[in-house]
Amino acid sequence: MSDDILPAGDDTPAGPRAGRTRRMAEVAAVVSAATALAALMFGLFGLTGACAGGSPRTPADPAAPGDVSEPPAERPSASPTATPTPTSTPTGPATAAPTARPTPVETPPPPPPPAGWHRVDVAALTASLAVPDGWKLKDDDALHANWFSPDNRYVIGVKRDSTHGSTAQAASIGQLAWYRRTAESKMVDLTATNRTQEQDGRSAVRLDLDFRWEGASPRVRRIELFVAGGHGQVYQLLVEDRYLDEDSALTGLFETTRTHLRTDRP
């Protein structure tokens, strides 16, 4: 025979048609392998992103709130923060705190005068005190009042003014300075001592004086007590012995008078 004929049942394609068929099969195999590889890589990428906590994101809209460029300090807290409940405050107009005022001293009532004494009220000086019976009142005016013993040896007096200041300390200092001006006070060879003490719950100053009257020889002893009163006034109690000797009753007279002295009486 002039042409070669393949035996029946042989699977090898013959001619150009068989060649095309083989190439198409190879291309299909390559595409299939590429597709499988892409799917595998995509799956691995998604698994890795999920393990890292990431999620697919789209570019942020610059105008949208919550932009990733916002500073961390301005981001809202992840959980609500407890806010203390404000306490209620008055809504009316503010008023200044009241100024503390000193508590008025309540003067206890004086005890009954001892035998041979009686109580007197000096309305012009808003004061009261006790004096011995039989003593004569002199110099009774709006500044002072004096009582003299029948023999003119002793004097009890009370005075109220603001000439030397409004405190017991200032008044005692000013009064003593005036006593030392001999041309005005007529006091000679003056010696003085002072000390503080309490008088009916108030601070007072006691002044002890020893002197002579100008032109006289007997020594004179005087005890004075200064205690501040109301309206800037200072009360001055004095007890004087004009003929000082060992039998002087000066100290007893002073203590009894001081015990019964009450100031700022209505």
Side-chain angles (χ1 to χ4, degrees):
M1 287 185 297
S2 58
D3 295 326
D4 293 334
I5 301 175
L6 293 175
D10 191 344
D11 291 336
T12 301
R17 184 176 180 180
R20 286 195 302 269
T21 300
R22 187 182 299 112
R23 285 194 299 272
M24 290 177 64
E26 292 175 352
V27 170
V30 171
V31 171
S32 177
T35 302
L37 180 59
L40 178 61
M41 292 183 65
F42 182 83
L44 289 175
F45 176 82
L47 180 60
T48 304
C51 293
S55 61
R57 302 191 61 176
T58 57
D61 184 358
D67 187 6
V68 294
S69 62
E70 179 185 6
E74 296 178 7
R75 293 177 182 173
S77 174
S79 59
T81 303
T83 303
T85 303
T87 57
S88 59
T89 55
T91 57
T95 57
T99 303
R101 297 181 179 180
T103 303
V105 177
E106 294 185 3
T107 303
W117 292 64
H118 64 280
R119 173 164 295 282
V120 294
D121 294 320
V122 188
L125 304 179
T126 63
S128 67
L129 68 162
V131 297
D133 296 341
W135 287 38
K136 302 298 182 179
L137 175 62
K138 296 182 180 181
D139 308 319
D140 182 15
D141 54 35
L143 178 63
H144 62 293
N146 296 320
W147 289 264
F148 287 77
S149 65
D151 59 1
N152 288 326
R153 174 175 176 171
Y154 299 101
V155 181
I156 294 177
V158 62
K159 176 183 175 183
R160 185 192 68 164
D161 71 346
S162 58
T163 303
H164 303 296
S166 60
T167 66
Q169 187 72 25
S172 64
I173 293 173
Q175 189 67 63
L176 181 57
W178 186 82
Y179 289 154
R180 294 188 185 282
R181 296 200 290 268
T182 302
E184 299 178 46
S185 68
K186 309 303 180 183
M187 292 180 173
V188 182
D189 300 331
L190 174 66
T191 61
T193 59
N194 65 78
R195 64 188 183 199
T196 59
Q197 66 179 71
E198 185 177 284
Q199 174 68 19
D200 290 332
R202 300 178 184 177
S203 178
V205 176
R206 172 174 166 167
L207 193 63
D208 289 75
L209 305 171
D210 191 289
F211 61 95
R212 290 186 304 105
W213 290 113
E214 189 177 50
S217 58
R219 300 294 301 178
V220 178
R221 179 77 182 274
R222 178 187 293 182
I223 304 175
E224 298 187 2
L225 183 73
F226 298 83
V227 56
H231 309 290
Q233 304 288 313
V234 176
Y235 289 86
Q236 178 183 350
L237 173 69
L238 70 87
V239 181
E240 179 180 294
D241 183 353
R242 294 184 169 188
Y243 307 101
L244 187 63
D245 58 22
E246 294 180 356
D247 297 327
S248 175
L250 177 65
T251 301
L253 289 171
F254 172 77
E255 289 299 332
T256 302
T257 305
R258 183 187 71 82
T259 300
H260 291 81
L261 174 67
R262 294 296 181 271
T263 59
D264 293 322
R265 304 291 290 181

